[in-house]
Amino acid sequence: MIDMKLKTFVEVVECKSYTQAALHLHLTQPAITQHIKQLENHYQHKLIENPHKEFRLTEAGHQLYEYAKIQIHNEEIFESQLYKMTIPLTLGATLSIADYYLPQILSHYVTTSSRRCQIYVHNTHTLVQKIIDGEIDCAFVEGQFDLQLFEYHLFKNEKFILVAKKDHPLAHQHITFQQLLSFPLFIREKGSGTRAILENYLIQSIYDLSSFEKIIEIQSMTMIKKMIMQTFGISFLYEGVVSDELKSGELIQLDLENFELTRPMHFIYLRHNLNKQYYLEFFEKLMSITYKNR
């Protein structure tokens, strides 16, 4: 059974208010304050800075919040197992993976499995946080995550390429990065794994995103591709995302000097999740479908 003090702490953090937490938990505010003090005494660390002014967690507070969310989620899993409740598998996937890599291997599972499956599509940063918060069970991601906190398995290695429309001024020539800067750059929103790959690449060079004269942020991968086809804009995307357009000739890969990137896509879930063996078996089943279809 989860200690009520941990549940109180989580409620305080999510409300950012002792008063609101007391209302939600049907406790008095002094009781809420006492619970937080008991936790701070137990762990010998201050958890919340200036609770009655600008609400802010300490580093220890952030760590305890993540720990408490994991424990509360595991308690829910345990109770569902204890009382033989069937809960759906909540699966996350980034936009690139959801639209261009998962359908062919996930379709069979979701239509034949006795377990209900809910699928959430968002960027890597959001999915990682949703797993920590217990809102989703596992996810396919393409960006960075805490290797100490998560179990992870390689889903796919994929090439990251520079694309433009077929009659782009830089088409069919060997070009430098400097030549790209005057053309509009289409990128995903902050938190996207696709964007993070480009930003990490730029860190190792003399450029950054501000080096481009014009940057357009778009959440939709389909919209990015369509706008590239109608402008002299460029974008860095996974090869699989533009494979159909490359085959049809609507888009081409630009020949960028000293640019060759391959990045992993991973399947992740929390190391201390009670259902982690089930998630691993689920992933292995999907991968067996992948190999079977090759």
Side-chain angles (χ1 to χ4, degrees), residues 63-74:
Q63 292 177 356
L64 181 62
Y65 176 69
E66 291 190 358
Y67 165 79
K69 290 289 286 186
I70 291 169
Q71 296 310 311
I72 290 170
H73 184 52
N74 275 338

Side-chain angles (χ1 to χ4, degrees), residues 51-67:
H52 303 299
K53 296 180 181 178
E54 182 182 355
F55 188 93
R56 184 162 56 88
L57 287 179
T58 64
E59 181 59 33
H62 280 291
Q63 292 177 356
L64 181 62
Y65 176 69
E66 291 190 358
Y67 165 79

Side-chain angles (χ1 to χ4, degrees), residues 29-203:
Q29 190 164 329
I32 296 290
T33 302
Q34 187 63 26
H35 282 180
I36 301 302
K37 284 183 177 178
Q38 288 172 345
L39 286 173
E40 290 181 330
N41 290 337
H42 177 77
Y43 291 111
Q44 294 294 296
H45 278 84
K46 191 170 182 60
L47 301 173
I48 301 171
E49 298 281 7
N50 301 319
H52 303 299
K53 296 180 181 178
E54 182 182 355
F55 188 93
R56 184 162 56 88
L57 287 179
T58 64
E59 181 59 33
H62 280 291
Q63 292 177 356
L64 181 62
Y65 176 69
E66 291 190 358
Y67 165 79
K69 290 289 286 186
I70 291 169
Q71 296 310 311
I72 290 170
H73 184 52
N74 275 338
E75 174 82 357
E76 292 170 353
I77 292 173
F78 172 70
E79 288 183 354
S80 71
Q81 293 173 342
L82 188 64
Y83 299 110
K84 307 300 181 185
M85 294 167 57
T86 301
I87 57 176
L89 172 69
T90 52
L91 173 67
T94 60
L95 184 62
S96 299
I97 296 176
D99 283 355
Y100 300 97
Y101 300 95
L102 268 191
Q104 56 269 40
I105 65 170
L106 194 58
S107 302
H108 179 75
Y109 175 86
V110 298
T111 55
T112 60
S113 174
S114 59
R115 188 168 188 175
R116 200 154 48 91
C117 187
Q118 298 174 342
I119 303 169
Y120 296 89
V121 179
H122 221 297
N123 61 47
T124 296
H125 175 79
T126 300
L127 293 175
V128 167
Q129 191 57 52
K130 282 185 176 294
I131 294 178
I132 293 172
D133 292 345
E135 294 179 31
I136 62 175
D137 298 317
C138 47
F140 288 88
V141 300
E142 57 195 88
Q144 297 176 327
F145 52 89
D146 188 338
L147 301 182
Q148 301 302 314
L149 193 59
F150 289 93
E151 292 280 1
Y152 56 96
H153 307 280
L154 180 66
F155 169 54
K156 187 177 182 64
N157 280 312
E158 185 70 339
K159 288 183 179 179
F160 197 62
I161 63 175
L162 172 62
V163 296
K165 68 175 184 175
K166 59 184 178 182
D167 57 347
H168 194 279
L170 298 180
H172 312 301
Q173 55 183 295
H174 192 58
I175 57 176
T176 65
F177 206 93
Q178 179 67 35
Q179 290 175 269
L180 302 178
L181 303 181
S182 61
F183 294 96
L185 174 67
F186 290 92
I187 59 173
R188 290 281 309 284
E189 77 285 357
K190 290 181 180 179
S192 158
T194 303
R195 177 173 175 150
I197 292 171
L198 177 58
E199 289 177 327
N200 289 337
Y201 169 79
L202 292 175
I203 287 173

Side-chain angles (χ1 to χ4, degrees), residues 19 57 79 89 212 214 218 221 257 289:
T19 303
L57 287 179
E79 288 183 354
L89 172 69
F212 287 86
K214 193 175 198 55
I218 301 177
M221 205 69 74
E257 179 182 67
I289 294 173

Side-chain angles (χ1 to χ4, degrees), residues 2 5 24 27 44 49 70 82 114 126 241 244 293:
I2 297 297
K5 292 188 291 294
H24 290 179
L27 297 172
Q44 294 294 296
E49 298 281 7
I70 291 169
L82 188 64
S114 59
T126 300
V241 170
D244 289 342
N293 291 340

